[in-house]
Amino acid sequence: MLNSFLEKKIKNKLDLLSTLHSKNTVSIDEVLNSVKVSKISLISLINEMNIDFDGLAFIENSHSYISLSKYDNVDFFRLSHTIYKNSIVLRCLKFLILNDDEISFFSFIDSEFITKSVAYRIRTKCKCYLNAIGLDIKNNRVYGDVKWNL
């Protein structure tokens, strides 16, 4: 359920990782059909993921196929966690959940180097997700029965 609230780029990266995980080598046409992005966007995703996966895995992109090479002791969950770490929506949720001191939302905005309008759109996504699981935001903090809902 949480995945539906994440950024489109994060969802695309996760879809690409899932496709490559199911088959180590996949044709570009098959990837384009499963991930539903343009070829240029796919190349951009691959380049970004290779930077994210530095030391963990490498995605090789040839003219007709794409393959995933994982380094020693690296599994799917570690790679997906690497992608999730780049989600600003998840970082905002973390801020709201751990904000026991009711720190101003502007400190989150400053730490992420984002504009106020972007930050409040992200906060709205977080609020929608939290409302869907029976929680709410008050004074930049998650309220409700957090223990059972998260």
Side-chain angles (χ1 to χ4, degrees):
M1 178 174 162
L2 178 58
N3 278 1
S4 62
F5 292 92
L6 297 178
E7 305 94 295
K8 186 174 182 166
K9 187 177 278 191
I10 297 294
K11 290 190 271 189
N12 287 341
K13 287 180 179 182
L14 291 168
D15 289 344
L16 177 56
L17 178 63
S18 295
T19 302
L20 291 172
H21 179 69
S22 64
K23 304 174 188 174
N24 276 348
T25 302
V26 185
S27 72
I28 288 184
D29 291 334
E30 189 176 342
V31 172
L32 291 173
N33 287 333
S34 68
V35 180
K36 296 183 180 24
V37 294
S38 69
K39 192 169 184 175
I40 293 171
S41 295
L42 178 63
I43 292 168
S44 177
L45 281 176
I46 290 170
N47 291 336
E48 287 179 23
M49 290 173 72
N50 278 332
I51 292 169
D52 295 343
F53 292 163
D54 185 40
L56 300 174
F58 182 76
I59 301 171
E60 183 182 344
N61 178 19
S62 77
H63 295 292
S64 59
Y65 70 91
I66 299 171
S67 64
L68 174 67
S69 301
K70 294 180 266 185
Y71 300 144
D72 294 334
N73 299 323
V74 175
D75 60 2
F76 174 78
F77 297 108
R78 184 141 180 223
L79 295 176
S80 59
H81 180 69
T82 301
I83 294 170
Y84 282 120
K85 282 194 314 187
N86 291 320
S87 171
I88 196 160
V89 172
L90 292 179
R91 289 195 305 269
C92 183
L93 271 174
K94 178 182 174 183
F95 171 81
L96 295 169
I97 291 167
L98 299 177
N99 192 10
D100 291 334
D101 298 330
E102 296 179 0
I103 298 169
S104 168
F105 192 60
F106 290 109
S107 66
F108 173 76
I109 293 169
D110 291 341
S111 68
E112 294 294 330
F113 303 104
I114 55 176
T115 64
K116 290 178 191 175
S117 59
V118 168
Y120 281 100
R121 280 194 298 272
I122 293 165
R123 188 176 188 273
T124 300
K125 276 187 175 185
C126 292
K127 184 172 176 55
C128 289
Y129 168 70
L130 291 168
N131 290 158
I133 60 170
L135 300 173
D136 203 359
I137 299 172
K138 183 177 177 185
N139 296 330
N140 299 314
R141 187 169 177 224
V142 175
Y143 280 89
D145 197 358
V146 177
K147 175 172 75 173
W148 298 108
N149 292 336
L150 292 178

